[in-house]
Amino acid sequence: MKVVPVAYDADEGYTLRVSGYTFGKRYAVEASSEFENVQVTIAFEAEFVALPEKIEVTLPDATLAYDATEELFVAEKNSVVDELFEQVKDHFTDAAELATSLTRPYYGGSPNSANAFYKAVCGDRTLEKNHWFLDGSNPATITRIAVANDGKMTSHMQVNRADVETDADVFAFETKLVPNYGLPIYVKGEARVEIPAYAAQHVDAWVYNADGKWQSDVKGLWSPSFGSSALTGFSVADIDLESAFTIVKKDAQGVWVPVSDDEIAAQKLVFAYEIPATAPAHDGIEIAGNKLSYYGRNESVPVVGTLSIDGIVIGNAFTAVNDYTSYEVNKFDPIRSFTQSETVEIPTRTAEATYTKNICEVLSLRDMRDADDMKGFELIDHDATLADPWITGDDTNGFATGVRPNSDKVFGLEAIRIVSFSVTYADNGFDASAALGDRVTVDETTGRITFSNLNNLSLQKDVDVTVNVEVAYPWAVKSGKVTYKILK
């Protein structure tokens, strides 16, 4: 073993450089050197005790509270130096010396900072970063157990916002510090993410509960107004789902209260709505930017809402106040049902060769506006044929000049289609089609019904002719019928 005095300090005494020793062996040490023209001889006995393979401390389990300003989830701070010192008290004067040893320069030009290895595990994700213990390039906001260079080794667990995926995330941390004398120091801990308790609450003005199900009804936007006799357009796009719910939190008494706009902005609270993947097919119905567009035939569509804080979904936000998981939005159909005021009679006593009627003359289809004693505005031109049955607006018939109800900007009505027709005896309802043969015909293109009397025989029974029609448009396929009675 070789011992060489290398320095002298009036307060600290002599510093010796020792090499060639073996841990666990006792030595008689003698060293001599000259300091300030004085020959100094130092003699003593010493046993070299090895440092342990490692020392470690585990922080108490904790929750990680969100700091929106720093965009960090942070746990409480704990000083760990005293607990670590107990494991190496034979090697350091006190806990303070252990703490400063992480940044103390050592002989041989070793760096004056420990290596730091940060590791955090969340589920199947492992986050690892390596830095110097003291380094200006060491980002303050990385996910880790941060150990402060404050003489107390004050430590805390923290998670960068970008590393959090859900409000159920639990992180297991390990920070390994390796000073240049080689002793690995481990600081470990586990913490779960704690999302502030914000929640969604329905707005009574737009949301109601019926049969245990939360729901809203589409109203439809009539341009220029619902009662106007000069309609230019109708829309069920841009239905604002965000107005259906508001953000709340509990006050000191545990009562749910609204959250201010300033707090919503500061906490970066955001609603998001979507139609779930499990929903039935819903052609023509979609959500974009929290706006629902309802150009489909489903009677209702399920809507799933989420509330997130800085992009992290608050898992129970839509169940904390009430269970809104069954929330639905109900369709609005702007078109009423087909009607016919009364059965049309076709008298045959005039002994004409043919008798002709047009179903557009008596078939009625109206919209939902409050016109004509709450019956709505008529959509069918009674002087037209099925080839082009829709009215043209003239500023007085419910539509602006030139506007037609089959326009995509209005109701998008397709052509009225004849589905079937039947010919029966009026007195017993039996089928009369075989007896009359082609004497009764219906032109599917024009909607004209013709009774031919060219056989020059007098009809002996009243005959009912029923024509079944339908019309398709974005919100429904609507069926109706027109009934004629051919009189004997």
Side-chain angles (χ1 to χ4, degrees), residues 11-35:
D11 295 321
E12 299 291 337
Y14 291 95
T15 299
L16 307 178
R17 183 195 306 148
V18 182
S19 59
Y21 59 85
T22 301
F23 286 122
K25 186 175 180 179
R26 193 169 187 82
Y27 293 90
V29 178
E30 183 172 321
S32 179
S33 185
E34 182 176 307
F35 290 98

Side-chain angles (χ1 to χ4, degrees), residues 329-344:
V329 178
N330 300 317
K331 174 183 74 176
F332 174 75
D333 186 344
I335 308 296
R336 300 172 193 263
S337 298
F338 279 112
T339 60
Q340 178 186 1
S341 58
E342 59 184 2
T343 299
V344 178

Side-chain angles (χ1 to χ4, degrees), residues 16 29 65 88 106 177 210 280 300 304 309 330 347 405 416-417 434 455:
L16 307 178
V29 178
V88 288
Y106 284 80
L177 302 174
S300 62
V304 173
I309 178 169
N330 300 317
I416 298 175
R417 188 172 71 91
N455 64 355

Side-chain angles (χ1 to χ4, degrees), residues 198 246-247 249 258-269:
Y198 294 104
T246 188
I247 300 173
K249 66 178 181 180
V259 176
S260 70
D261 291 342
D262 288 343
E263 185 172 350
I264 290 173
Q267 294 287 4
K268 301 177 183 177
L269 294 165

Side-chain angles (χ1 to χ4, degrees), residues 31 44 140 222 382 426 439:
F44 59 92
W222 304 76
H382 298 309
R439 302 293 179 187

Side-chain angles (χ1 to χ4, degrees), residues 81-82 85 92-102 104 151-152:
V81 69
D82 289 334
F85 173 69
F92 295 88
T93 303
D94 52 27
E97 184 185 16
L98 171 62
T100 58
S101 72
L102 297 176
R104 188 173 61 199
K152 301 177 182 179

Side-chain angles (χ1 to χ4, degrees), residues 281-404:
H282 47 87
D283 293 345
I285 307 171
E286 61 182 8
I287 296 174
N290 290 344
K291 304 286 188 180
L292 173 65
S293 179
Y294 209 124
Y295 287 89
R297 294 171 182 167
N298 303 55
E299 290 301 317
S300 62
V301 64
V303 174
V304 173
T306 58
L307 176 62
S308 60
I309 178 169
D310 198 10
I312 302 168
V313 174
I314 302 173
N316 68 338
F318 274 75
T319 57
V321 179
N322 292 298
D323 187 351
Y324 299 114
T325 54
S326 63
Y327 177 62
E328 291 185 346
V329 178
N330 300 317
K331 174 183 74 176
F332 174 75
D333 186 344
I335 308 296
R336 300 172 193 263
S337 298
F338 279 112
T339 60
Q340 178 186 1
S341 58
E342 59 184 2
T343 299
V344 178
E345 294 183 345
I346 304 175
T348 61
R349 294 191 182 94
T350 56
E352 298 176 15
T354 58
Y355 302 87
T356 302
K357 294 291 184 181
N358 188 336
I359 67 173
C360 285
E361 294 173 346
V362 294
L363 186 63
S364 176
L365 187 65
R366 293 171 174 264
D367 63 26
M368 294 296 295
R369 285 179 287 172
D370 295 340
D372 194 11
D373 295 330
M374 306 296 289
K375 295 178 183 178
F377 284 98
E378 179 62 61
L379 309 179
I380 296 175
D381 183 348
H382 298 309
D383 295 324
T385 69
L386 284 192
D388 186 12
W390 309 115
I391 65 168
T392 299
D394 62 6
D395 283 338
T396 64
N397 60 0
F399 295 87
T401 300
V403 175
R404 308 191 71 194

